[in-house]
Each structure stands twice: as C-alpha cells, then as structure tokens.
Amino acid sequence: MKILYHPDRADIHLSSVLYALSDPVRLLIASAIRKSDERTCGDIDVPVVKSTLSHHTRTLREAGVVNVRIQGTQRFLSLRTEDLEFRFPGLLTSILDAFETSDEKKKLMNPD
Amino acid sequence: MKILYHPDRADIHLSSVLYALSDPVRLLIASAIRKSDERTCGDIDVPVVKSTLSHHTRTLREAGVVNVRIQGTQRFLSLRTEDLEFRFPGLLTSILDAFETSDEKKKLMNPD
C-alpha cells in the first residue's frame, strides 16, 4: 500500500499551515471536511477538476492540515484538528470561521 | 510624494492575508510592530538585508496587513488592526499569538 507523507505534530509549522490555507480552493476543501470526521475526495464539492483537487490535497497534507487515508481506490480526508489545536490553539477555527463569511467562499460557490 | 498602494478594507481578502503571513520573516515583521502604533523599518529587528525587508513589507502592504506611511526618507509601518478585525474578527490575534510561541520565531531570533 502506498504510504503518504504526513508531518509529525512537532514538524507542523505555522508558516506552512498559513501557506496551505492561502488559496480559496484549499480553504474550501478544509471548510468542507470541517463538519465531518472523514470525507472522500469525491464527496467534496469544489469547482475544480480531479487533478487540481489532488494537487491541493497534497499541499494541505504536506503542511499538516489534513490527514489522507487510502482505502481501496478511495482517499478519505480529515482535518488534523487535534494536532493543529495542540500546536496553534484557536488558529484553525479563526481561519475557517473567517472563510465561512468571506467573499471568496461566496465567489467559489456562486461563480456567476 | 510617492503614493503607495493600499487595498481598501473591502478589498482585503482572506487568502491574500494568509499568504502574506505565510513567511517567518513577514510574521516577525507583523509581530514586531504589533505592540506599537507605528515603527520605522529601521527600528524593526529582523535578520534580513534592507532590500529583502522592503520586499516583505510590500507583500504585507499589498495584502492589506500593514499600512506604510512615508515621511521624509523614512517609512513608518503599522498593522491595519482595525481593518483586519472588521473583516476577519480574531484572525490576526490568533495568528500572531501562535507565532509568539512558535519554533519559527525562536529560530529567527536565535539562529545558532
């Protein structure tokens, strides 16, 4: 089975987390999986093609923002809420709360 | 007098703010001016040369994170706390609080 790289909790860096979340589509992915324990990539409603979604998911995973679990042909995504909360208390919540009401989210969900 | 571009409050976007703060040196600049109303570039203790500092300051300014006021030969920097708080309540505080205790800050301040 393919092993995907995930940084250890201690190797999650603030600047990398902020970079990973500095893109509206990546914010949307993080926001979409926020409410559930795990979601498959196919379940996430984002206006990008599959290869772009994979690229963004990788950036989020390598920064320590999401965990990706492979099962069969599916990839299950979850936020590393506990690790991020341990490293940077309150940070993820304040970023995702800011995104919920942002123009950027509105524009992505209603591009017309 | 040279007029520097600063985005209007309504044009400050979450992803741009996160990108501007996704670099340890830029986090250090924001953190250094946090406690005072205004500081000159020369007053900010960052381990980079002047041209690099200018480049980083520009990124922060164009994203709406800092205000730069020119007076004579000096540039005065301040955080756009009120604008950012209006747009994204709590966000800047949680990012800068996370930076205060981060390995990245320690490494920048004590590179040996």
Side-chain angles (χ1 to χ4, degrees), chain A residues 2 12-13 22 32 36 38 45 48 52 61 65 72 74-75 86 90 94 96 101 104 106 109 112:
Chain A
K2 194 173 168 186
I12 299 177
H13 299 295
S22 72
S36 39
E38 264 193 341
D45 187 20
V48 294
T52 307
R61 171 174 55 79
V65 178
Q74 289 199 304
R75 290 175 175 230
F86 179 85
S94 76
L96 294 183
T101 54
E104 288 177 297
K106 280 188 206 116
M109 302 306 277
D112 303 326

Side-chain angles (χ1 to χ4, degrees), chain A residues 16-33 44 46 48 52-61 63 65-66 77 79 95-96 99 108, chain B residues 15 18-19 22:
Chain A
S16 314
V17 169
L18 296 179
Y19 176 76
L21 294 170
S22 72
D23 178 284
V25 173
R26 291 198 291 269
L27 281 165
L28 189 60
I29 295 170
S31 154
I33 60 176
I44 300 171
V46 282
V48 294
T52 307
L53 179 59
S54 296
H55 167 76
H56 284 312
T57 301
R58 180 183 176 162
T59 303
L60 289 165
R61 171 174 55 79
V65 178
V66 305
L77 257 65
L79 276 182
I95 293 175
L96 294 183
F99 182 66
L108 271 176
Chain B
S15 60
L18 297 178
Y19 175 77
S22 71

Side-chain angles (χ1 to χ4, degrees), chain A residues 37-96:
Chain A
D37 281 349
E38 264 193 341
R39 285 180 80 166
T40 63
C41 284
D43 265 354
I44 300 171
D45 187 20
V46 282
V48 294
V49 297
K50 202 177 161 187
S51 61
T52 307
L53 179 59
S54 296
H55 167 76
H56 284 312
T57 301
R58 180 183 176 162
T59 303
L60 289 165
R61 171 174 55 79
E62 291 182 346
V65 178
V66 305
N67 186 73
V68 182
R69 186 173 66 83
I70 300 179
Q71 190 177 316
T73 58
Q74 289 199 304
R75 290 175 175 230
F76 290 86
L77 257 65
S78 56
L79 276 182
R80 293 181 63 176
T81 314
E82 211 176 297
D83 291 329
L84 290 167
E85 194 56 28
F86 179 85
R87 294 280 286 154
F88 318 114
L91 180 75
L92 189 67
T93 302
S94 76
I95 293 175
L96 294 183

Side-chain angles (χ1 to χ4, degrees), chain B residues 9 12 79-88 92:
Chain B
R9 179 186 275 189
I12 299 177
L79 277 182
R80 293 181 63 176
T81 315
E82 211 175 298
D83 291 329
L84 290 166
E85 194 55 29
F86 180 86
R87 293 280 288 154
F88 317 114
L92 190 67

Side-chain angles (χ1 to χ4, degrees), chain B residues 4-23:
Chain B
L4 298 173
Y5 166 75
H6 290 87
D8 287 340
R9 179 186 275 189
D11 294 323
I12 299 177
H13 299 294
L14 177 63
S15 60
S16 314
V17 169
L18 297 178
Y19 175 77
L21 293 170
S22 71
D23 178 282

